[in-house]
Amino acid sequence: MTDDPFLAHRSLLFTVAYEMLGSAADADDVVQETWLRWAEADRAEVRDPRAYLVRVVTRQALNRLRTVARRREDYVGEWLPEPLLTSPDVAEDVELAESVSLAMLTVLETLGPTERAVLVLHEVFDVPYEEIAEAVGKSGAAVRQIAHRAREHVAARRPRMVVDPAEQQLVVDRFLAALTGGDVQALLDVLAPDVVVVADGGGLAPAARRPFAGRERVAGALSRFAAFAPGVLITTPLINGGVAARIDPGGEFDTAITFVVADGRISRMYAVRNPHKLGRLDEVAELRR
């Protein structure tokens, strides 16, 4: 165990930054900026290093959120968070697994920067309102109001999901068997009636520019997969806390898909094809609360 508080809390700081930004690359930059400020800090004046570091990383993440807003507005097609390979420990922490799922991170994208910071810090990391107020430059009363609005906003948009890995694995295996076998009826059986597919190619890989929905439409589109990619290698790693699919046609990794599973069926799929977002899926990211 290290005596340096920054090193001891680095995984926590990365997780906070990643949940606020949805980008591992941006989160890395924010953590590095936090380290620079920690290196310059008068340690004798820091009573609670964890609270101090969380406050600094939050401020840096807020600054970064505002600078990347235009970049995301100009993004080609749908923007999805950068997927991360995660350990079984993350999957077993139900609250953390849900908070870092692509489904939840996509909902968080619909919040303003301050709302996102308040919700993430309080609901996921149990940071007291008074500490959050100092981090975001608001009063305690204002932060409570922001938290209430953000919770209502997210509750109205968050998909109902199952985060039990065993059930996820069973449903994903059924889906992949139907997909690789070109079995339309099996696809219809494993997809929810109102299933939604969101794809992110970033203009660099073929992908639908808009989400498409409906069991028949999705099954029809996916039924052609086996013909287009015969002999494709598909594995089911844990990505962002849940059972996912990694697709390697011709031995070349080109797609990561995460799923929302409810009532034994897939209700949402998030397919990341932008090659700039797939680089982290060869090493396990250290996420913790």
Side-chain angles (χ1 to χ4, degrees), residues 184-200:
V184 176
Q185 186 56 54
L187 283 169
L188 291 170
D189 290 343
V190 78
L191 298 173
D194 56 352
V195 62
V196 177
V197 177
V198 184
D200 175 351

Side-chain angles (χ1 to χ4, degrees), residues 101-118:
S101 68
L102 260 64
M104 180 56 70
L105 293 175
T106 302
V107 172
L108 292 179
E109 282 292 314
T110 64
L111 292 170
T114 302
E115 290 176 315
R116 185 167 183 167
V118 170

